[in-house]
Amino acid sequence: MEEVGALPDDQHRLHSAIPGVTNGKDLFAALRREFPAHANIHKGRDWGARLTQYAWDHPSVMGTRGALSKWQKTLSELPVIIIKQRSRNAWLILPLAARSGSPIQDGGERTMTEYVVFRSTVRERVTLPAHSQVQLFQEIPTAAQRVTTSPEAALVAWLVRDRDGKRLLCEALKRDSPLFRPLVTTPFLKPGDKPGDIDLFVCEHDHPDQAAVIEWKRVKVTTLDARTNAVNKLDNLADGVRQANQLLPHGFFQTYLGIIIAVDAASQRNYNVPNRSVAANTTHYGNAPTFGRLFDFPDRDRLHRHIGIIFLELVQPTSRSIDDLVNISICVHYPATPQRQRNEVTNRVAEYLHNAYQFAQT
């Protein structure tokens, strides 16, 4: 209110005007009735950012904990977004209608807080015999391969085979039903061309002039306890920056660097199964915040400004295989700048798509 000219003495008038108000629409209606001069006040990005910050700082106010608990229980049924706050490494689970915001007031000083928004899903596969019941998201001791032991090529192949992972990637890239092909060389790269291959080729059949290519690199995160993670292979992301820069001159419509955060969260017992991930306020062996280390990866400032950045979090929340139980989160943190695709590249893409379609029909 003070930012739009209200007097500090008006605070008691505002409080007396909004008893029993439980939603934003009624709040603003009451505010406009009491303060007609400020009828231009409305919800927006600032409102969403401040509400998010307030919910995080005051988890017991207005039933916030209950609301978060409600959303947690329905993770397997409803799509959600996860907002990770870079400066404080915080996370919140919000309905899809929520949006991230920008400037917020923190500690009495004006600060700029950046929110990294992940679209997320939790998927469990179970065999349910007739006339039986099963509890979902439970700890079931097994000896499945750990997601952190799979190389990045295997994780990319898994992603494009998995229905939910592929759907999230389509939504993140704003593609309807593209062709996904991992480890592509011919006809786009010749022997000796850098970076050697295309980790993932993405293009819709009707738009051969809008092919996207992604250079993927993997980081391994293992949860040790409630506050501590072990982060490995982070230095490899510098190679990813270099290889993505080498991929850009090949002239595709969009070029991305994709960072796969493979998380073994089986030891994260302080969270229930659907909420295990790179959790809030965890650190790498008690030092730097884990999410901050991942976000500000090595040589990030050397990445060409036209190359987009994708974060893919694959979480193995229990000892079970990610084929059976997995948390998948995707964020296009920085969209790739569209480039005018060269004609020779578009012709090769069209031929490649045609051959792939013909092969699929046989």
Side-chain angles (χ1 to χ4, degrees):
M1 288 284 292
E2 291 182 36
E3 294 175 7
V4 294
L7 299 175
D9 291 342
D10 290 335
Q11 183 176 2
H12 73 280
R13 290 179 56 196
L14 175 62
H15 288 175
S16 63
I18 59 173
V21 169
T22 59
N23 60 66
K25 180 180 178 181
D26 292 344
L27 170 66
F28 283 100
L31 187 150
R32 293 183 186 111
R33 285 193 303 269
E34 186 67 24
F35 300 97
H38 302 298
N40 61 329
I41 295 178
H42 60 278
K43 288 194 289 186
R45 295 185 65 182
D46 258 8
W47 163 264
R50 292 166 188 256
L51 188 61
T52 298
Q53 183 68 36
Y54 189 84
W56 177 254
D57 291 336
H58 304 84
S60 61
V61 176
M62 295 187 298
T64 301
R65 284 180 176 161
L68 288 177
S69 175
K70 176 182 177 182
W71 289 328
Q72 291 166 4
K73 290 177 183 176
T74 59
L75 278 178
S76 62
E77 305 168 13
L78 299 175
V80 299
I81 57 173
I82 294 178
I83 296 181
K84 300 202 178 195
Q85 183 179 319
R86 180 183 178 187
S87 63
R88 295 176 59 178
N89 197 32
W91 61 264
L92 287 173
I93 298 177
L94 300 174
L96 269 178
R99 292 291 182 268
S100 62
S102 293
I104 63 172
Q105 198 76 14
D106 188 11
E109 298 180 359
R110 175 67 67 177
T111 61
M112 183 69 75
T113 300
E114 184 170 5
Y115 292 92
V116 184
V117 181
F118 287 77
R119 189 173 182 104
S120 180
T121 189
V122 181
R123 198 265 328 287
E124 179 174 14
R125 292 175 178 167
V126 295
T127 300
L128 185 61
H131 308 295
S132 63
Q133 296 180 343
V134 65
Q135 287 187 313
L136 299 177
F137 306 135
Q138 300 300 306
E139 299 279 357
I140 302 176
T142 61
Q145 179 183 354
R146 310 316 299 157
V147 67
T148 49
T149 65
S150 297
E152 59 206 17
L155 294 177
V156 173
W158 180 91
L159 177 69
V160 298
R161 287 196 312 267
D162 185 80
R163 182 192 63 185
D164 297 310
K166 187 161 60 174
R167 173 179 57 81
L168 282 179
L169 188 55
C170 285
E171 293 172 356
L173 294 174
K174 295 181 171 55
R175 305 279 178 141
D176 291 329
S177 54
L179 173 75
F180 288 99
R181 282 292 185 272
L183 298 179
V184 173
T185 52
T186 307
F188 307 113
L189 303 179
K190 302 186 295 293
D193 283 352
K194 300 295 184 181
D197 59 29
I198 298 169
D199 287 346
L200 187 61
F201 171 89
V202 183
C203 193
E204 286 150 319
H205 190 269
D206 296 336
H207 297 284
D209 59 331
Q210 297 181 13
V213 290
I214 306 175
E215 174 68 32
W216 291 99
K217 284 297 175 185
R218 176 199 56 161
V219 180
K220 302 193 295 184
V221 178
T222 303
T223 61
L224 303 179
D225 54 42
R227 305 284 295 184
T228 311
N229 299 314
V231 181
N232 295 293
K233 303 295 184 180
L234 187 64
D235 291 340
N236 289 355
L237 298 186
D239 290 334
V241 170
R242 175 178 54 82
Q243 291 169 337
N245 285 338
Q246 292 171 343
L247 194 55
L248 182 66
H250 287 283
F252 292 96
F253 178 69
Q254 288 178 309
T255 303
Y256 281 95
L257 171 63
I259 298 170
I260 302 173
I261 307 169
V263 185
D264 183 348
S267 297
Q268 200 178 60
R269 301 299 178 91
N270 53 306
Y271 287 97
N272 59 29
V273 169
N275 290 305
R276 294 178 183 176
S277 66
V278 179
N281 304 318
T282 56
T283 62
H284 172 64
Y285 287 115
N287 298 314
T290 302
F291 184 68
R293 285 172 56 85
L294 298 172
F295 189 93
D296 296 314
F297 54 84
D299 283 356
R300 175 173 173 152
D301 59 334
R302 295 178 179 271
L303 189 68
H304 193 284
R305 62 188 178 88
H306 289 160
I307 297 176
I309 300 174
I310 301 173
F311 290 103
L312 165 65
E313 195 176 61
L314 288 180
V315 182
Q316 187 173 20
T318 69
S319 59
R320 298 167 63 189
S321 165
I322 60 173
D323 291 323
D324 296 329
L325 180 56
V326 65
N327 304 356
I328 309 171
S329 300
I330 292 181
C331 164
V332 174
H333 173 59
Y334 184 78
T337 303
Q339 305 294 302
R340 183 178 176 85
Q341 193 168 275
R342 296 200 301 265
N343 289 337
E344 62 268 27
V345 174
T346 298
N347 292 338
R348 291 173 190 163
V349 171
E351 180 182 3
Y352 187 79
L353 294 172
H354 174 76
N355 291 339
Y357 180 76
Q358 291 294 105
F359 179 80
Q361 296 297 104
T362 59

